[in-house]
DNA sequence: GCCTGTGAACCACTTCACAGCT
DNA sequence: AGCTGTGAAGTGGTTCACAGGC
């Protein structure tokens, strides 16, 4: 028993799951939620895939990493699959997110309704600007950076969004890790160096536009 | 070194280049710009890769898709490689971007300095809110949706950022395509159906947080 | 009939390893 | 010596195709 592997319950196969698989899971979730809103209660891997521009086989293979959720001859029950995918992604429970940096982007994140819909809630915010510290924006209290460790550990927050200028991103990231953050969503256009135990997702908006620019200039076919 | 190749078209190899390659090109560009700011004028594929957590071979293979930019025994000249990558990505000349949707996120994009740094400039904005139409935000004029076709064609704008609610995203996207947009950066959490000639990049912030949630819950190792 | 789950085949991307240049 | 550029090898991800269940 003690010698049992430490593979998380979600994963059935021994090997880790690629990022490609998990981001498609998020897409399946989004599409299933739309189907439910539109009154559907069943779908198939083929139809789910078509809505997202991928094959049915891909959908089935992705889900097979985590279990058997379908009914041969029938397909998938939307509500049931939503529940399963949320469980896999860990969003069957709400997450509180700490936000650092209340500039334009930070403020947009504070008020972003898409987070709440998927189970994420910005619970606390931090900034260096003395004029903001102590105030409340969108119902969220803004703390000074020196309160980071205590506030984050007190609320047992594990996820943070980093929306500070590039120059201070690494230093703030270090502070967040020190405070106990294990997942970091970085909007600053710099590559952060973090301990392997901390998970990092990068969103660089300029890079996304560069991808578009490249595609347009080279008239690449969509894939 | 070698034939400082004058590349006529960006792509020398016949086959199309994968998204993985082009997004790394953006990372190389970002890192090279940092190196220049820090006073370096040369680097090597090995050092460039290490800064980004990839192998030197990967860096060299990526660049090999577009030409020969290095000097055996020496490495790459930062400024020169920056110029080449910008040319490949199409950002050696400035792009004007149209923004649709001036909510929280839209406003953040209007003021986002990271765009300008990489050669993108939000030139015009559109919204449905009559209170905004005709006003100027961050120096950008806000038009009503009915002006889209004329304004976009008049400025010959090819790229647009879509920051409207999910419910109207498809309809607005259709309008943008009609107006002549060929590259679309979509922030609405829906899968858009667009003609194959239009390039699409999706940014779904909730999905990014779900990726973090999954990684934290499953204690996956970083890759 | 329709549809899932899955081994096998296929394809693409990454890493290796080295010839050749500086 | 150091480093690039590149064929070859290796790895991982996607698609195929079909057995089996509804």
């Amino acid at each position: 028993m003690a010698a049992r592997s430490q593979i998380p319950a979600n994963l059935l196969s021994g090997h880790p799951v690629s990022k490609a698989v998990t981001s498609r899971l998020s897409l399946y979730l989004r599409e299933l939620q739309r189907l439910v809103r539109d009154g559907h209660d069943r779908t198939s891997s083929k139809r789910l895939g078509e809505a997202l521009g991928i094959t049915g086989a891909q959908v089935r293979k992705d889900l097979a990493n985590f279990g058997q959720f379908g009914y041969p001859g029938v397909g998938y029950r939307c509500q049931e699959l939503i529940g399963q995918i949320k469980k896999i992604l860990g969003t069957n429970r709400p997450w509180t997110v700490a936000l650092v940096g209340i500039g334009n982007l930070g403020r947009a994140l504070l008020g972003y309704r898409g987070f709440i819909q998927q189970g994420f809630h910005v619970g606390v915010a931090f900034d260096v600007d003395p004029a903001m510290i102590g105030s409340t924006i969108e119902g969220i209290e803004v703390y000074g950076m020196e309160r980071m460790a205590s506030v984050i550990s007190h609320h047992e927050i594990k996820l943070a969004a980093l929306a500070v200028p590039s120059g201070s991103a690494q230093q703030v990231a270090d502070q967040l890790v020190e405070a106990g953050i294990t997942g970091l969503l970085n909007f600053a256009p710099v590559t952060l160096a973090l301990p392997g135990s901390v998970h990092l997702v990068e969103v660089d908006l300029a890079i996304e536009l560069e991808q578009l620019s490249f595609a347009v200039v080279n008239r690449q076919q969509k894939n």
Side-chain angles (χ1 to χ4, degrees), chain A residues 103-124:
Chain A
N104 280 318
L105 187 56
R107 239 169 308 215
L109 297 175
L110 273 178
Y112 186 55
R113 309 182 65 204
F115 286 155
I116 292 283
Q117 281 166 11
Q118 299 301 330
F120 299 96
H121 164 69
V122 178
V124 298

Side-chain angles (χ1 to χ4, degrees), chain A residues 66-198:
Chain A
F66 305 97
Q68 306 195 152
F69 307 118
Y71 301 85
V74 178
Y76 301 88
R77 301 195 208 284
C78 295
Q79 283 289 17
E80 182 187 346
L81 190 51
I82 287 172
Q84 294 285 2
I85 293 179
K86 281 189 174 179
K87 211 166 120 191
I88 293 165
L89 293 175
T91 57
N92 53 336
R93 293 273 178 271
W95 289 85
T96 300
V97 180
L99 172 67
V100 190
I102 324 285
N104 280 318
L105 187 56
R107 239 169 308 215
L109 297 175
L110 273 178
Y112 186 55
R113 309 182 65 204
F115 286 155
I116 292 283
Q117 281 166 11
Q118 299 301 330
F120 299 96
H121 164 69
V122 178
V124 298
F126 301 90
D127 203 292
V128 290
D129 183 354
M132 298 224 171
I133 297 168
S135 73
T136 296
I137 304 182
E138 303 266 351
I140 313 300
E141 179 136 18
V142 180
Y143 297 95
M145 306 296 251
E146 75 286 353
R147 303 283 307 275
M148 205 179 276
S150 64
V151 172
I152 284 176
S153 79
H154 177 255
H155 289 86
E156 294 181 331
I157 295 173
K158 294 292 161 203
L159 302 184
L162 188 54
V164 302
S166 304
S168 47
Q170 180 66 57
Q171 184 215 315
V172 174
D174 292 341
Q175 246 186 297
L176 284 165
V177 170
E178 182 66 27
I181 289 296
T182 56
L184 191 50
L185 180 58
N186 175 38
F187 290 91
V190 288
T191 300
L192 299 175
L194 296 176
S197 58
V198 176

Side-chain angles (χ1 to χ4, degrees), chain A residues 7 9 45 152 223:
Chain A
I7 297 165
S45 62
I152 284 176
N223 47 1

Side-chain angles (χ1 to χ4, degrees), chain A residues 5 7-15 17 63-69:
Chain A
S5 78
I7 297 165
N10 286 344
L11 275 169
L12 341 145
S13 54
H15 62 277
V17 171
L63 295 173
N65 284 290
F66 305 97
Q68 306 195 152
F69 307 118

